[in-house]
Amino acid sequence: MGKKNLVSINDFSRDEILKIMELAAGFEADPHQQVLAGKVIASLFFEPSTRTRLSFESAINHLGGRVIGFSDTSNTSVSKGETFHDTITVISNYCDMIVMRHYIEGAARYASEISKVPVVNAGDGANQHPSQTLLDLFSIKKTQERLDNINIMMVGDLKYGRTVHSLLQALSHFNPTFTFVAPEELRMPDEYKLFLKEQGIAYTETERIEEGIKEADIVYMTRVQRERFSDPMEYERVKHVYILKNSMLEGTKENMRILHPLPRVGEIAEDVDSNPKAYYFQQTENGVYTRMAIISYLLGATK
């Protein structure tokens, strides 16, 4: 296969996405397949992370691989002024794969062009988060028993939210219907809406979460990301614009499930947690199996 990277969800075809779903289900059924014995994976987090970093490292350990890397650049040569180019070039000599999060859009693509080993983008700025997308798809498939013809409502920060951008592109293979719920300041960027129009995929936009929730199979909540705002006042205006409450779920579909990439900062009330339609904590567990699938697939280490 040669050096295959996962920088954007568009790096995977529809068939490859379905292959990841199949592999993830296999790892869920048997999570202790030691297919990475002898492999070393570099975990490079230039930006803070909890779930993504730990689930990748858990996935590597389950597969029998070893982890090197950092989660704080203050203890690395980056703090001495080493260039990003040199950091990636050197570290790619020490490992079989690089998993990387960076605060600059496009950093993962640049790393993939420098590195001699596969690169997995664990989030680059407000751009892409393809491994989150694949675990979201796995969660959708588990809860809906299909990926085709899903009615999905995306709520909150649709401008800066890299998870919704990647998920929109991935679902375009499966004939979805979208409802975008966001204030004017955080609407889905025009480039993604143009993409949907070119694909002939239906979407509607609204500022009210009540519009369309009863038709949704999936409600995908997002937090308003303070770290993406250059203007603190703009953040203050929109930070609590949507709060999903348990009472709002009355009359929704029986099969409807609520997803969230986490962390939440108030946009889902705690009274929702006990509702059987809340799936965001199970979603995090699915991240381990999906990331096991991604790593093993890219390294050609599947059984």
Side-chain angles (χ1 to χ4, degrees), residues 93-104:
N93 290 325
Y94 301 156
C95 63
D96 299 286
M97 171 181 284
I98 291 174
V99 175
M100 189 188 82
R101 170 168 289 188
H102 204 282
Y103 50 88
I104 296 177

Side-chain angles (χ1 to χ4, degrees), residues 74-135:
S74 66
N75 296 318
T76 72
S77 292
V78 174
S79 66
K80 301 176 183 178
E82 183 176 61
T83 66
F84 180 73
H85 174 281
D86 289 2
T87 298
I88 297 301
T89 300
V90 170
I91 292 175
S92 71
N93 290 325
Y94 301 156
C95 63
D96 299 286
M97 171 181 284
I98 291 174
V99 175
M100 189 188 82
R101 170 168 289 188
H102 204 282
Y103 50 88
I104 296 177
E105 295 181 24
R109 180 66 67 192
Y110 182 45
S112 72
E113 295 168 356
I114 300 165
S115 172
K116 58 182 167 183
V117 299
V119 171
V120 177
N121 180 8
D124 62 331
N127 184 29
Q128 287 265 344
H129 197 351
S131 70
Q132 177 71 46
T133 297
L134 290 163
L135 80 87

